[in-house]
Amino acid sequence: MKATVKYQIATYSGEVHVNCNENDEDECIIAKAKRIVTQRASGSLPYGYESWKIIERS
């Protein structure tokens, strides 16, 4: 199963696809998405407003 998570961090925004189980809670999926985005950003995210929302599960 995959989930699509939409995010907004300071001036950065986008979507990330996360592999998950159908029983995973939203918090777990968002934590996985944060890890993926942090790794892509070379280990650090900008400070400021953050918004994370699961927009699709398939």
Side-chain angles (χ1 to χ4, degrees):
M1 180 173 207
K2 278 195 171 193
T4 303
V5 179
K6 186 174 184 174
Y7 64 89
Q8 171 78 41
I9 306 167
T11 59
Y12 297 96
S13 64
E15 294 180 358
V16 63
H17 301 284
V18 179
N19 291 321
C20 62
N21 297 319
E22 62 184 57
N23 297 329
D24 283 351
E25 295 181 5
D26 290 354
E27 294 83 13
C28 180
I29 294 170
I30 289 172
K32 289 179 183 180
K34 285 183 179 183
R35 250 183 272 130
I36 292 169
V37 172
T38 301
Q39 288 174 350
R40 289 182 185 167
S42 301
S44 63
L45 297 174
Y47 290 103
Y49 173 78
E50 280 190 37
S51 172
W52 299 84
K53 183 177 181 181
I54 298 171
I55 58 173
E56 182 182 359
R57 290 185 190 218
S58 57

